[in-house]
Amino acid sequence: MPMTPGRIVRTTAFYALVAVIVFYAVFPFYYAVISSLKPASQLFRIDYYPAYFEWRNYVRIFEGQPFAANLLNSILVSLAVVVLSTLLGITAAYALGRVTFRGRQTILVSILGVSMFPQVAVLSGMFELIRALGLYNNLASLALSYMIFTLPFTVWVLTTYVQGLPQELEEAAIMDGASPWSVLTRIFVPLMMPALVTTGLLAFIAAWNEFLFALTFTLTNEQRTVPVAISMITGGSAHELPWANIMAASVLVTVPVVALVLVFQKRIVSGLTAGAVKG
């Protein structure tokens, strides 16, 4: 198509808008990175490229505090949340998407409604439940409490995806003598892989970044996850706030999540769009 003046203006405006959005999204992370590489004496100088790289900031976050243990705690809790959410979400989605029973739509709406409650609204009830189960200051309490906001989303997306799968596949498998569990694990799960990757990654990110429950249900430094551990980083005195160490820790825990999103971005998009339009 010929490049008319109007088309040139629209194209230029489009790419200018894209550039503004990218800059708005990326610049805070970029500035956090360069702040983590500055010495403490230069931290409050406005420099968009540091003259000297202070890699020692990344070493200090592991000194005098169990930050490595906090990282391991976050990994274990996030993986446990992904496994539990995926397993329960698959089975619930199969029942809600394929089995016809009275009140099915009411259950779906109720599941979605639960996810709309703010965390602080259920904090006191969850605290009493955690204490009654004897899980206070235990990583299992975090995995259990995080299911409140990861499981509803997982069930909703997977149910919509299951409803869009061809009915003939299930009927053919049943005619061949397959049990409902075999149909789910051997037929549906491979077809649901884009949606599983999407919901699993989003559940991992939600558990990785969660702060309120992790602060409330853990007491000792050894049991805390990285968001709480970062908030607990202190300086050499009571009046010192080590921003360089905080920025270094923030960058360190953000890079793995960014890498996961970049690796699985195509599956995330396909999983979200397929779950949004099918059924």
Side-chain angles (χ1 to χ4, degrees):
M1 296 179 63
M3 294 296 292
T4 62
R7 183 178 177 82
I8 293 175
V9 171
R10 289 193 297 270
T11 303
T12 304
F14 172 76
Y15 283 107
L17 179 61
V18 171
V20 170
I21 294 174
V22 171
F23 177 81
Y24 180 79
V26 175
F27 181 76
F29 181 70
Y30 169 75
Y31 202 78
V33 172
I34 64 175
S35 297
S36 69
L37 296 173
K38 286 183 179 181
S41 59
Q42 301 179 8
L43 190 61
F44 295 100
R45 293 176 53 184
I46 302 178
D47 297 322
Y48 299 108
Y49 188 80
Y52 171 74
F53 294 97
E54 182 61 56
W55 297 103
R56 179 70 179 169
N57 293 332
Y58 286 87
V59 178
R60 291 194 185 100
I61 60 178
F62 294 96
E63 296 176 347
Q65 57 189 0
F67 195 76
N70 301 141
L71 280 172
L72 181 60
N73 292 340
S74 287
I75 293 173
L76 293 177
V77 171
S78 300
L79 291 179
V81 170
V82 170
V83 171
L84 292 174
S85 297
T86 303
L87 180 60
L88 296 176
I90 289 174
T91 52
Y94 179 71
L96 294 171
R98 287 305 195 194
V99 180
T100 303
F101 58 92
R102 187 176 181 179
R104 180 178 63 174
Q105 195 64 30
T106 304
I107 294 176
L108 279 173
V109 174
S110 301
I111 291 174
L112 185 62
V114 169
S115 63
M116 297 180 182
F117 283 92
Q119 287 182 269
V120 69
V122 298
L123 183 61
S124 58
M126 283 300 304
F127 183 78
E128 292 298 328
L129 177 62
I130 295 301
R131 287 186 58 187
L133 295 176
L135 297 177
Y136 183 69
N137 199 34
N138 192 302
L139 296 182
S141 65
L142 302 183
L144 176 64
S145 60
Y146 292 173
M147 299 288 289
I148 291 179
F149 50 85
T150 60
L151 189 57
F153 172 80
T154 302
V155 172
W156 183 267
V157 173
L158 293 183
T159 299
T160 309
Y161 198 92
V162 168
Q163 290 174 343
L165 295 177
Q167 188 76 26
E168 293 78 8
L169 292 175
E170 183 180 5
E171 294 174 351
I174 293 175
M175 290 294 294
D176 290 338
S179 63
W181 181 253
S182 298
V183 172
L184 175 62
T185 56
R186 298 185 181 183
I187 305 298
F188 282 176
V189 169
L191 297 175
M192 294 166 60
M193 196 55 63
L196 292 176
V197 172
T198 300
T199 54
L201 184 57
L202 293 178
F204 182 90
I205 294 174
W208 184 266
N209 294 328
E210 202 282 327
F211 177 80
L212 182 60
F213 286 169
L215 177 64
T216 306
F217 300 148
T218 56
L219 182 62
T220 59
N221 290 334
E222 290 73 15
Q223 295 295 322
R224 292 187 172 118
T225 54
V226 285
V228 181
I230 292 175
S231 70
M232 298 292 179
I233 294 178
T234 57
S237 64
H239 302 285
E240 179 186 358
L241 192 59
W243 286 109
N245 295 353
I246 293 174
M247 290 295 102
S250 301
V251 171
L252 189 64
V253 301
T254 303
V255 168
V257 177
V258 174
L260 285 175
V261 173
L262 292 177
V263 170
F264 295 106
Q265 59 179 333
K266 292 184 178 180
R267 288 187 176 269
I268 294 174
V269 173
S270 62
L272 286 176
T273 54
V277 301
K278 291 186 177 182

